[in-house]
Amino acid sequence: WLVALQAGEQITVTQNSTAIDPIVYITQGGVDLAFDNNSGGGVNARLVYTAPSTGNYEVRTMAAVAGTAGAYSATFTIA
């Protein structure tokens, strides 16, 4: 997902699953800025990131273990 953030805005991304071990990345221009694997409780991911500058950021959600697949839910909050 592509998300437009203003400098100082905070995005919280939560990814939950009982089928996979979720991981969340925030990237910009192909560079990983932050990631989280297990801060959402159990194997669930929860990433809180504050944008240092105004721009477009990419949120990537996936399974932490290559080759695994399954259903998950992802939520975004921007404040």
Side-chain angles (χ1 to χ4, degrees):
W1 294 277
L2 191 62
V3 180
L5 297 174
Q6 300 295 314
E9 278 189 313
Q10 187 176 78
I11 184 169
T12 301
V13 182
T14 304
Q15 184 184 11
N16 296 316
S17 178
T18 58
I20 63 170
D21 179 5
I23 191 166
V24 175
Y25 287 89
I26 300 282
T27 67
Q28 188 178 46
V31 176
D32 292 341
L33 302 174
F35 75 94
D36 182 79
N37 188 4
N38 293 327
S39 293
V43 298
N44 296 314
R46 182 175 184 273
L47 175 61
V48 179
Y49 179 77
T50 302
S53 60
T54 298
N56 292 321
Y57 294 81
E58 183 180 3
V59 176
R60 296 185 305 146
T61 60
M62 64 194 72
V65 179
T68 60
Y72 66 86
S73 66
T75 59
F76 302 78
T77 305
I78 299 173

